[in-house]
């Protein structure tokens, strides 16, 4: 049973557009939600994260919007660049042993 | 300088053979993890450890064993490799403050 779900599976946007990646979860005890970015041939790396006490987290062109009531969150990438082309994973944790549960990922392609 | 190093980077194994994947970290982290990555499934947790000489089962432990002989080293062992275990395996470490630091992965093909 997948505890974290992501959509779409793949997304293509033009350079300069805003990419929106969606994520939902089931376990109401989850309180920490990071997004990881993975380039081909590399391991995932932390991009941005949010805790359940907040509804928005911004870091440059990357923003997380969090809706605790609906158990949904989204990652917005504004002014998308070709260098943003990567697979993005949403994850969730209840802080128990730092275990992260990952979604299946969204492969983002930014066309120049 | 890579702080989480996995070896080998790729391996071809025969069905029924024994496979050992190794992970070494220089982050001085207490927590270490093994994840498996398959297309369409994302990253799934196999085993993890929060202290040397102790390991815990993750979501998909069947067919895998783990060993944590020291803080720095964490191994994943496939006693009887099967075709279904063909995947990319990632090791990660954490200091307990939520961020995981991943290695570059090991691509395992079981034939």
């Amino acid at each position: 049973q997948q505890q974290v779900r992501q959509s779409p599976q793949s997304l293509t946007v033009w350079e300069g557009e805003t990419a929106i990646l969606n994520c939902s979860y089931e376990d109401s005890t989850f309180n920490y939600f990071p997004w990881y970015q993975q380039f081909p041939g590399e391991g995932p790396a932390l991009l941005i994260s949010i805790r359940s006490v907040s509804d928005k987290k911004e870091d440059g062109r990357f923003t997380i919007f969090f809706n605790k009531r609906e158990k949904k969150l989204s990652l917005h990438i504004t002014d998308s660049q070709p260098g943003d082309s990567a697979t993005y994973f949403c994850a969730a944790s209840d802080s128990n042993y730092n275990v992260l549960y990952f979604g299946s990922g969204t492969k983002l392609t930014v066309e120049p | 300088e890579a702080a989480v190093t996995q070896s080998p980077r790729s391996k071809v194994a025969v069905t029924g053979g024994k496979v050992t994947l190794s992970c070494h970290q220089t982050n001085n982290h207490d927590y270490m993890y093994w994840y498996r990555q398959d297309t369409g499934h994302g990253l799934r947790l196999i085993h993890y450890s929060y202290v040397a000489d102790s390991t815990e089962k993750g979501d998909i432990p069947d067919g895998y064993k783990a060993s944590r002989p020291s803080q720095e080293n964490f191994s994943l062992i496939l006693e009887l490799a099967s075709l279904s275990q063909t995947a990319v395996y990632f090791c990660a470490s954490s200091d307990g403050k939520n961020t995981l630091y991943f290695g570059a992965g090991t691509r395992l093909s079981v034939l």
Side-chain angles (χ1 to χ4, degrees):
Chain A
Q1 182 183 1
Q2 197 156 16
Q3 301 205 50
V4 179
R5 299 181 188 275
Q6 287 186 247
S7 64
Q9 201 169 11
S10 63
L11 175 66
T12 299
V13 299
W14 295 105
E15 183 175 355
E17 292 186 334
T18 296
I20 299 176
L21 289 64
N22 300 303
C23 179
S24 63
Y25 64 97
E26 298 179 3
D27 193 332
S28 57
T29 65
F30 289 153
N31 54 23
Y32 173 69
F33 303 89
W35 285 83
Y36 280 73
Q37 180 187 54
Q38 183 182 33
F39 295 106
E42 299 180 8
L46 179 65
L47 177 66
I48 186 173
S49 63
I50 192 169
R51 296 196 179 273
S52 57
V53 294
S54 302
D55 55 14
K56 182 181 177 181
K57 178 74 173 291
E58 203 168 342
D59 184 359
R61 297 185 294 107
F62 301 91
T63 302
I64 299 175
F65 293 93
F66 179 68
N67 185 321
K68 188 173 182 178
R69 183 179 61 82
E70 295 187 6
K71 296 182 184 175
K72 291 182 178 179
L73 57 157
S74 60
L75 175 67
H76 291 225
I77 306 174
T78 57
D79 188 27
S80 296
Q81 302 296 309
D84 296 331
S85 297
T87 298
Y88 292 81
F89 291 100
C90 173
S93 172
D94 58 5
S95 301
N96 192 19
Y97 296 114
N98 256 30
V99 171
L100 287 181
Y101 298 94
F102 286 84
S104 56
T106 293
K107 184 177 182 180
L108 174 67
T109 302
V110 182
E111 296 286 358
Chain B
E1 194 171 323
V4 179
T5 305
Q6 294 183 231
S7 61
R9 289 297 316 276
S10 67
K11 182 172 181 65
V12 178
V14 295
T15 304
K18 181 177 181 178
V19 176
T20 299
L21 306 183
S22 300
C23 180
H24 178 81
Q25 57 108 348
T26 57
N27 293 325
N28 197 33
H29 288 167
D30 286 329
Y31 298 80
M32 294 188 75
Y33 311 82
W34 277 106
Y35 283 89
R36 166 179 173 158
Q37 184 172 31
D38 300 273
T39 303
H41 287 281
L43 293 155
R44 293 182 289 174
L45 182 64
I46 307 171
H47 286 287
Y48 64 99
S49 168
Y50 54 88
V51 68
D53 292 323
S54 177
T55 63
E56 305 293 332
K57 294 180 179 179
D59 291 335
I60 54 164
D62 293 345
Y64 302 94
K65 287 173 52 180
S67 173
R68 182 91 183 273
S70 64
Q71 184 195 43
E72 298 81 13
N73 296 294
F74 192 34
S75 297
L76 185 68
I77 303 149
L78 290 65
E79 294 279 4
L80 294 169
S82 67
L83 293 173
S84 63
Q85 293 177 312
T86 292
V88 180
Y89 292 85
F90 287 98
C91 175
S93 74
S94 171
D95 60 0
K97 296 179 181 176
N98 293 120
T99 302
L100 267 60
Y101 298 87
F102 284 85
T106 294
R107 183 174 296 277
L108 175 65
S109 296
V110 182
L111 305 177

